[in-house]
Amino acid sequence: MKNVILAVHGGAGKQTPEDLRDEVRAGIEAALRAGQAKDNCVDAVVAAVRVLEDNELFNAGKGSVFTADEGHELDASIMRGLDKAAGAVAAVRAVRNPIEAARLVMESTDHVFMAGPGADEFAVRGGLVMVDGGYFSTERRLSQLLELKGTVGAVAVDRGGDLAAATSTGGRTNKLTGRVGDSAVIGAGTYADRRVAVSGTGDGEVFLRGTAAGTIAAMIEFGGLDVVAAAHEVVMNRLTALGGTGGVIALDRDGTLAAPYSTETMVHGYLTVDGTVVVV
């Protein structure tokens, strides 16, 4: 895909049930339109991910899956390519939009990663909207306790050629309390530099072991690969060799988007420079 300025994904995994496909596609388009209204890449990825976090069809924010104790622990991260500034939160339980908490870490502290109750308290002090646990407990998710769901994410490039990536997740269905996957880890589920922005979705433990997002960037910087070849190599060869499946959206500063996945499907869409929205 060429001339892309913003892309989002709603998770890699099984095919969306037919009765939900139109709703899911509408959710992806709404996220893209929200990002389109912003002037810079960081604002764009945060706006897009926020829309997906507020939509119970996606495993992030309101639609987050349940832990083994039927609770919720949410992770998110963001990275700006210009200066490699980054922020992440993990195992938060009360922040309505974890991507905003991750941005707050990036922009208002000298830290990168905050977790657990301290991260929730930090979000309160930062003035973010907080909710009780019942907000995340949607009926649709209760019926899917044992089903693995994917993550959401966004990548963007702005008029100045700056890149950003953001990823948010409710985690892995039936996970142990305290488990943190790749979505909150810079270099695993999220990465951005001056050449590429990457957001991943899939088997989090394998994305962690394979440092998936950072490896794509390294192959471009040091290996001379383009974004399509680098993303394909990591997703289709290296991660599968580790026994995992998933996908990424990877966008370079010239507007070339790669979206390989090794699962049945990866719900995603993109916005081109002329305003065209495509949902795949």
Side-chain angles (χ1 to χ4, degrees):
M1 288 75 81
K2 301 288 187 180
N3 300 315
V4 175
I5 57 173
L6 173 66
V8 302
H9 68 73
K14 297 178 181 179
Q15 291 287 344
T16 305
E18 188 172 350
D19 62 328
L20 296 179
R21 286 178 188 170
D22 288 345
E23 288 183 71
V24 168
R25 292 175 64 85
I28 294 292
E29 181 171 354
L32 291 167
R33 292 303 185 192
Q36 182 183 21
K38 304 301 180 181
D39 292 329
N40 67 74
C41 57
V42 171
D43 287 344
V45 295
V46 171
V49 169
R50 269 197 55 168
V51 168
L52 297 175
E53 287 178 335
D54 289 341
N55 187 330
E56 69 173 54
L57 291 172
F58 300 96
N59 179 20
K62 185 170 179 59
S64 295
V65 295
F66 288 80
T67 61
D69 63 1
E70 295 194 5
H72 301 278
E73 290 186 340
L74 287 63
D75 306 335
S77 64
I78 186 169
M79 190 167 187
R80 181 173 60 216
L82 178 65
D83 54 0
K84 294 189 179 179
V89 293
V92 295
R93 289 178 171 263
V95 184
R96 173 172 172 156
N97 292 107
I99 196 61
E100 290 189 337
R103 182 178 189 173
L104 195 64
V105 173
M106 179 177 75
E107 294 184 341
S108 68
T109 79
D110 59 359
H111 304 321
V112 170
F113 199 172
M114 298 183 69
D120 276 317
E121 292 168 9
F122 168 74
V124 171
R125 296 195 301 272
L128 299 187
V129 176
M130 310 300 285
V131 294
D132 62 33
Y135 170 80
F136 304 113
S137 299
T138 61
E139 183 177 350
R140 183 172 282 151
R141 287 300 180 202
L142 280 170
S143 68
Q144 296 171 332
L145 179 60
L146 300 179
E147 185 177 349
L148 182 65
K149 288 293 181 180
T151 295
V152 307
V155 293
V157 59
D158 57 30
R159 293 184 183 90
D162 296 331
L163 292 150
T167 311
S168 181
T169 189
R172 180 170 146 182
T173 302
N174 212 25
K175 67 179 181 178
L176 294 177
T177 300
R179 177 263 187 187
V180 176
D182 66 300
S183 298
V185 179
I186 301 301
T190 304
Y191 192 80
D193 59 19
R194 291 176 179 269
R195 297 171 180 82
V196 66
V198 184
S199 175
T201 172
D203 292 336
E205 278 67 22
V206 173
F207 272 69
L208 283 165
R209 290 162 55 209
T211 57
T215 298
I216 291 171
M219 287 183 165
I220 293 170
E221 181 175 3
F222 303 114
L225 275 64
D226 63 29
V227 64
V228 174
H232 183 275
E233 169 62 21
V234 170
V235 172
M236 305 306 293
N237 296 329
R238 299 196 175 206
L239 296 185
T240 56
L242 291 174
T245 59
V248 302
I249 48 175
L251 181 66
D252 72 13
R253 64 177 299 159
D254 296 323
T256 300
L257 175 70
Y261 55 91
S262 58
T263 49
E264 287 183 24
T265 189
M266 181 177 70
V267 179
H268 66 286
Y270 58 90
L271 172 74
T272 62
V273 70
D274 64 0
T276 300
V277 165
V278 178
V279 180
V280 180

